[in-house]
Amino acid sequence: MRDFFKFTFASILGTIVGLGVLGALSLGGLLFVVGTIATSSKDAGPNVENNSMLVFDLSMNITDSQPTSTTAEALSRTLSDESDPSSMTLRQVVETIDAATQDDRILGIYLHSSSSSSSNGFATLREVREALERFRDAGKTIIAYDQDWSEREYYLASVSDEILINPLGMMEMNGLSSETTFLAGGLEKYGVGVQVTRVGKYKSAVEPFVLTESSPESRQQTEKLLTDIWSDFLTTIARREKISAQQVQQVVNTRGMLMAPEAEQQGFVDRLAYFDEVVAQLKELTGKKEDDRTFRQVSLPRYGTVSDDQRASQMRSASQIALVYAEGEIVSGEGGSTQVGGDRLAKQLRDLRRDEDVKAVVLRVNSPGGSATASEVIQREVQLIAETKPIVVSMGNVAASGGYWISSYGSKIFAQPNTVTGSIGVFGMLLNVQNLGNNQGITWDVVKTGPYADIETITRPKTAQEMAIIQQMVDRIYERFLNLIVQSRNLPAQKVREIAQGRVWSGQEAQQLGLVDEIGGLNDAILAAAELAELGDVWKVEEYPQTRSFEQVLIERLLGSRLKALVPTPEPDPLTAQLQQLYEEVSILKNLNDPFHAYTRMPFTFEIR
C-alpha cells in the first residue's frame, strides 16, 4: 500500500510538472507569435493606396484615454472582431485626420455609422468636427451616408460636401433631453433610509434619493445648460448652407422626425441613395472598376498607425510635455481602471513635477467629480506644479464639481462651449438599512464608550446631533472649495458665492464668469503649454498614465473579448435597457468612499439625450 501511494504521488507530481512545462512552452509560443505579429505589423504599416478614402465609423467610441502598449495594440488588432465598433482616443482621431489632410494618398473621408449606439459627448464631437473642417478646407472631399441620421452623427456629418440617406431612412431632429430617475419611493418602500447634508441650492446630486421629481433649482440649471449646448448645436450645423438654425428649430418644435424624402426637400441631406449606389459612387471617385468588389479605402483606426509612427519617430532629446488623463469618478485611494484615484493621480503629478525632462503638463479632465478629500489631494499637486512649470487644463465633456476642484489651479484652463463644468458645491449622503433589516426580522444592538462611537453605522438613522456635526463638516469643506476658487481664479469672494451654489454651467458661460480662460480643445491646450514653457517648435507629448502591462491586456482580451465574440450580445430590448440604466445609477453609490462622506460631484444621473 505504501508503494501504491508513492507511485501514485509520483505520477500526480509528474503530471503537474508536465502540465507546467507544457503551459510554459505554450505561453512562450504565444508570446513569440504575438511578438512576431507586432513586429511584422509595425514593419508593414498601413497599406494605403493612392486615391483612397479614409473610412470613419461614426458609431466609434471616442475616449479621452486608452493606454495600451505597442504589443498590446498588435494583440488587440489580432484578436478583435472587425464587426465590433472600434475605439480610439480623441487625440488619435484628431491627429489621424490631420495626418490624412497632409497625405496625398488620401482623396477624401467617407463618414458612415455601423450602429446607432454612439454616446460620444458633444465637446468631444466638436473637436473632431474641427479636424474634419480642416480636412475639408484643404480641398479634400467628405461624403456622409447612413440609413438613419441621429443628431450626434449629423453634428459631424453636417461638415460634409455631400450627405446621403437611405430612401426609407429617417432624420432625427427632436432636440436634447435629460431624464432623471428618482429612487426615493423605492428606497422608502424597501426600508432604506436616506439622510443628506449639502451646501448649494443647485447641488442636486442627492435629489434622486430624497425626492420624487426635480427641484425648481435643479430644473432651472438643467434647462439653462441644455439651452446652451443646443444653441451651439444649432449654430454649428447651420454652417451648412442649405439649412438655417430657425429651420432646424421649426422641425424640432413641429415634427421631431423627418422621413428621408422630407429631409432631402428641406436641405438636411443632398440626395437619397441605397448603399450599393454609394459604393458605386465611391468606386468611381477612387478610380476602381465597376466590377471591383469595393472602393479604395483604409479605416480610421488602421490609418491611425501613421500618427502613432510619427509620434514615435520624434526626437528622443526633444523637450517633453506630459499629457495626464483624469477620466472618471474621483475616489479616495488608488481607484480602479475607470476611476480617478486621488493617491494614484497625485503621485503621477508629483513624479512629473520632479522630472526635469518634463517642461510642461497638460491635465485633461473628463470627470463629474466625487470624493472631496481625493480632489483636494490632487489639487495640491496641481498647485505645486503651477509654481514650478506650466500646467494647462483641458476640460472634456464634463469637468464639474470635484473635476473643477482639481482644475482650478491650472496655469490656463480650456473648455469647449458645450463642456459641462462648475457645480461648486458639497453634499453628504448617509444611508441606513434599519427598516430593511427589521422587516426581515433582523435587529442590531451596540455597546459603546462614547455617544458618537458608532456614527459610521448604517444600521440606524443619524441623530439630530450627529447630523449637525456632519453638516458642519460639509459647510467647512464648502468654504474651502469657495476659498480655493477665489485664490486660484483671482475672483471676488462675493462673485464666487453667487456663481457657486452647486450650479453647473456650460463652458461658454463658465468663460464669461471667469471660471474658464479660453474656449478650445485638447490640441489648443497642448499648444498653449508649449508656448507658456517657451519650447519653440521642437517638443514631444508623452501620455500618462503610461501603457498597461502586456499581461493585463492579454488576460483582458483572452478572457473578455474572445468570450464575447463567442457569445454575441444583441442590442437590449427597451425594458432591459432601462433596468441596466437603473443598475448603473444605483451602482454609483459604490464610488462614495470619501473618509468624511463629503462629495463634490455633479448630479448623479445627468445625461444628455
Side-chain angles (χ1 to χ4, degrees), residues 404 408 413 485 488-492 495-496 499 507-518:
Y404 187 77
S408 57
I413 300 177
I485 306 306
S488 62
R489 301 300 301 164
N490 194 27
L491 293 172
K495 179 179 180 179
V496 172
I499 65 178
Q508 172 184 323
E509 201 153 19
Q511 184 192 28
Q512 297 171 359
L513 295 171
L515 298 176
V516 167
D517 293 303
E518 294 190 33

Side-chain angles (χ1 to χ4, degrees), residues 266-565:
Q266 298 204 30
F268 285 92
V269 301
D270 294 291
R271 62 187 177 89
L272 313 183
Y274 291 103
F275 178 68
D276 61 285
E277 294 174 321
V278 177
V279 172
Q281 177 184 350
L282 293 173
K283 284 182 186 178
E284 181 179 356
L285 186 64
T286 58
K288 296 291 281 186
K289 297 179 181 179
E290 185 177 344
D291 57 353
D292 287 329
R293 191 176 69 87
T294 188
F295 56 96
R296 289 190 177 94
Q297 61 180 277
V298 59
S299 71
L300 191 74
R302 179 65 175 147
Y303 184 76
T305 58
V306 172
S307 298
D308 294 338
D309 291 342
Q310 287 176 346
R311 286 198 297 269
S313 64
Q314 287 179 315
M315 297 172 56
R316 291 182 178 275
S317 59
S319 299
Q320 182 187 147
I321 296 175
L323 173 55
V324 184
Y325 293 102
E327 185 173 17
E329 294 262 351
I330 299 176
V331 298
S332 293
E334 291 294 311
S337 60
T338 60
Q339 298 171 323
V340 180
D343 293 345
R344 176 161 48 86
L345 181 55
K347 181 181 183 304
Q348 180 72 80
L349 294 171
R350 188 159 53 248
D351 292 341
L352 294 173
R353 171 166 56 89
R354 295 168 176 169
D355 190 337
E356 296 181 357
D357 293 331
V358 175
K359 305 303 181 184
V361 177
V362 173
L363 179 62
R364 174 69 172 187
V365 180
N366 203 347
S367 170
S371 165
T373 303
S375 299
E376 175 74 357
V377 169
I378 297 168
Q379 172 272 321
R380 177 59 180 171
E381 293 301 329
V382 173
Q383 182 181 2
L384 291 176
I385 291 178
E387 294 173 358
T388 59
K389 63 186 73 173
I391 176 166
V392 177
V393 174
S394 170
M395 294 179 170
N397 296 312
V398 56
S401 207
Y404 187 77
W405 188 314
I406 68 176
S407 304
S408 57
Y409 266 99
S411 308
K412 186 173 285 189
I413 300 177
F414 283 80
Q416 295 285 20
N418 42 20
T419 295
V420 179
T421 188
S423 191
I424 302 168
V426 184
F427 73 89
M429 188 164 65
L430 310 161
L431 305 179
N432 79 83
V433 295
Q434 185 181 64
N435 289 338
L436 176 63
N438 291 167
N439 291 339
Q440 310 304 318
I442 301 172
T443 58
W444 295 269
D445 194 10
V446 62
V447 177
K448 52 188 178 181
T449 60
Y452 305 115
D454 65 337
I455 195 172
E456 298 288 337
T457 185
I458 65 168
T459 61
R460 63 168 177 80
K462 301 292 182 285
T463 65
Q465 294 84 354
E466 290 170 334
M467 289 299 294
I469 292 172
I470 296 170
Q471 182 66 57
Q472 185 180 40
M473 180 187 66
V474 169
D475 291 341
R476 285 201 302 267
I477 293 175
Y478 182 63
E479 288 298 319
R480 166 59 184 157
F481 202 166
L482 293 177
N483 292 332
L484 177 73
I485 306 306
V486 169
Q487 296 167 11
S488 62
R489 301 300 301 164
N490 194 27
L491 293 172
Q494 183 57 36
K495 179 179 180 179
V496 172
R497 287 189 179 277
E498 292 172 358
I499 65 178
Q501 298 294 325
R503 181 166 181 173
V504 292
W505 305 95
S506 66
Q508 172 184 323
E509 201 153 19
Q511 184 192 28
Q512 297 171 359
L513 295 171
L515 298 176
V516 167
D517 293 303
E518 294 190 33
I519 296 298
L522 178 57
N523 193 55
D524 296 310
I526 293 172
L527 294 175
E531 181 179 354
L532 290 173
E534 300 179 347
L535 299 182
D537 297 328
V538 182
W539 44 268
K540 63 181 178 180
V541 177
E542 293 287 345
E543 297 185 351
Y544 299 87
Q546 293 182 324
T547 57
R548 291 176 294 178
S549 70
F550 170 74
E551 291 83 0
Q552 288 174 316
V553 178
L554 179 64
I555 292 173
E556 175 186 326
R557 288 291 176 177
L558 289 180
L559 299 185
S561 299
R562 300 318 295 168
L563 289 177
K564 182 179 178 182

